[in-house]
Structure formats: C-alpha cells, structure tokens
Amino acid sequence: QLVLVESGGGSVQAGGSLRLSCAASGRTFSSYKMAWFRQAPGKEREFVAAIRRSGSGTYYADSVKGRFTISRDNAKNTVYLQMNSLKPEDTAVYYCAADMAVGVRADPADFGSWGQGTQVTVSS
C-alpha cells in the first residue's frame, strides 16, 4: 500500500480556485489508479475524480465536470486536483485514494489506500 499525504486545501471565496496535491510514498506509484473523494459534514464520502495509471483516462462526478481537473506526475509520485469556479457546496474534506486493482469505479470500497484528508472551505 501507498502512504498518501494531501496538501493545498484552504479557504476561498466562491468562484475562486485551489489546487490540491497528493504525494505518495513508494516506487510503484505508476501501478496505482488514483482518485479524489470528498466528505462534507453529515454526508457520506463521495467520488470526485479518478485517473488511470498512465493518466490516459480520467473520470469525474457530474457535479464537478468542467470545473475540476485531475492529473498525475508519475515521475514525482504526485496526483493533483485543480479546482476552478468553486462553489459553497464544494466545501468538504478532500481525500486522496489509491489502488492497484484494474478498472475504475466511483466507490470508496474500490480503493485500499487513503490519505488523511485536507479541508476545503468555499464561502459565498
């Protein structure tokens, strides 16, 4: 399993942007599919975006499509989430996740390694 550490969270006004980073330990980062999930207070953890091992395929929740972009740099063992046009409803703790299994599903149970999370707060 990878050890994942998120950074880049913070507070921003609606319409603003943030870039989250997730640094992974280990020499096999390129063997892992990566994803971002988020969890708001009192709500279940929900899928935000995912990216295949090579970065050739990306997937997004409908709620963030067109505003968020997931990318990865396998040379730096890092995955990113660029968040633009942020809305108050994007406020949540954002988690980075990884797994070696083939295929991408928008299901937290599909991912075995998790970071500690980073808080994103969007004010209106």
Side-chain angles (χ1 to χ4, degrees), residues 12-36:
V12 64
Q13 290 191 329
S17 298
L18 283 173
R19 187 194 196 202
L20 305 183
S21 298
C22 173
S25 66
R27 294 176 289 180
T28 59
F29 177 73
S30 60
S31 298
Y32 288 76
K33 62 187 178 187
M34 301 296 297
W36 289 93

Side-chain angles (χ1 to χ4, degrees), residues 2-110:
L2 295 180
V3 175
L4 305 173
V5 179
E6 301 99 333
S7 61
S11 296
V12 64
Q13 290 191 329
S17 298
L18 283 173
R19 187 194 196 202
L20 305 183
S21 298
C22 173
S25 66
R27 294 176 289 180
T28 59
F29 177 73
S30 60
S31 298
Y32 288 76
K33 62 187 178 187
M34 301 296 297
W36 289 93
F37 289 78
R38 67 186 181 187
Q39 188 166 18
K43 295 188 177 182
E44 293 187 352
R45 192 166 297 190
E46 66 171 359
F47 172 78
V48 175
I51 188 166
R52 290 191 179 274
R53 293 172 180 82
S54 65
S56 60
T58 56
Y59 309 86
Y60 297 93
D62 288 342
S63 59
V64 307
K65 203 171 293 184
R67 300 187 298 123
F68 291 11
T69 302
I70 188 171
S71 62
R72 65 189 296 161
D73 186 336
N74 286 345
K76 295 182 178 180
N77 283 13
T78 302
V79 63
Y80 305 97
L81 185 68
Q82 178 66 45
M83 305 185 295
N84 299 328
S85 303
L86 282 161
K87 304 176 181 180
E89 51 264 43
D90 293 319
T91 295
V93 176
Y94 283 70
Y95 297 91
C96 176
D99 202 90
M100 294 185 74
V102 175
V104 176
R105 294 189 300 153
D107 184 349
D110 200 37

